[in-house]
Amino acid sequence: MIEATFLKSQKKGYYKIVVKGHSHFAPKGKDIVCSAVSSIVLANVNGCIEILKAEHFLEQKEGYLEFEVLNNNEEVTKGCSLLLQTAYLALKELESQYPKYVKVEVKEDEANI
């Protein structure tokens, strides 16, 4: 199962995503669920990095991606929050179609208010 966890706060909005695991929907190279998750996440993370030029932390390896928006101006922070919220909504839709293969959650970060 692929698990995607988003962190958000009142001040920053959506600012972090951690995605881990494999869906095991189909063999590697034919797994449409894995491809969909990868496309959604990478498109929105790349928007933060390449278009908004966000200061960020990124760790990516087989079956794992962690992306966090660091200290940026208000415009960049808001733009990245919207992109990550877009990823969240798309992944929630995917979760509704493939609940055995994708789990998505949002955690409120009280310490980062």
Side-chain angles (χ1 to χ4, degrees), residues 12-102:
K12 291 181 171 182
Y14 287 76
Y15 70 92
K16 184 173 182 176
I17 180 175
V18 177
V19 182
K20 57 186 173 182
H22 295 282
S23 72
H24 303 290
F25 177 78
K28 188 174 182 178
K30 296 181 184 214
D31 192 327
I32 62 170
V33 176
C34 186
S35 294
V37 170
S38 295
S39 294
I40 290 165
V41 171
L42 291 174
N44 287 283
V45 165
N46 283 334
C48 291
I49 295 169
E50 299 297 328
I51 296 170
L52 296 173
K53 307 294 185 199
E55 183 181 334
H56 65 279
F57 168 81
L58 176 64
E59 181 179 351
Q60 194 173 2
K61 54 189 173 188
E62 177 68 28
Y64 183 85
L65 179 137
E66 180 178 346
F67 173 76
E68 181 174 0
V69 178
L70 301 175
N71 297 324
N72 292 280
N73 67 43
E74 187 176 333
E75 184 179 342
V76 171
T77 299
K78 184 177 181 179
C80 287
S81 177
L82 290 171
L83 286 170
L84 291 177
Q85 186 175 8
T86 300
Y88 167 75
L89 294 171
L91 290 174
K92 283 302 281 184
E93 179 62 30
L94 198 61
E95 177 186 49
S96 74
Q97 295 175 28
Y98 299 96
K100 294 179 182 179
Y101 304 98
V102 180

